[in-house]
Amino acid sequence: MSTQYDHVSVVKKSNVYFGGLCISHTVQFEDGTKKTLGVILPSEEALTFETHVPERMEIISGECRVKIADSEESELFRAGQSFYVPGNSRFKIETDDVLDYVCHLEG
């Protein structure tokens, strides 16, 4: 797994969600694709994100529990793993430690 992206543009303004519990930056590639690189901080409640396009969340460091859409059970994901969320859906994510991630916007 590569530890960096080359030949990209980075949007300087950060994306801040949930009062700073999630902060990311958008990375734009030469072929027009986009990803966000971010950090999610621990919180007492799960954070709920809505998707517009399909997303693949790649966990870089840390671990998290995720419920996708209306799932009753959460699944544990660790560094080196990823999970997929369909477009026009949502997911809830919880972490007890700092979580580094790459969100691959696939739509």
Side-chain angles (χ1 to χ4, degrees), residues 4-47:
Q4 71 181 36
Y5 294 118
D6 297 319
H7 311 288
V8 298
S9 297
V10 177
V11 176
K12 293 193 286 186
K13 176 133 178 50
S14 60
N15 307 302
V16 180
Y17 304 97
F18 306 104
L21 291 173
C22 177
I23 301 173
S24 68
H25 282 87
T26 302
V27 178
Q28 300 174 341
F29 290 77
E30 292 175 333
D31 65 1
T33 59
K34 294 181 183 180
K35 302 180 188 311
T36 60
L37 307 177
V39 173
I40 298 176
L41 300 177
S43 64
E44 294 193 15
E45 294 185 23
L47 306 180

Side-chain angles (χ1 to χ4, degrees), residues 60-71:
I60 304 302
S61 69
E63 65 181 37
C64 59
R65 291 169 304 286
V66 177
K67 287 184 184 179
I68 297 173
D70 294 324
S71 175

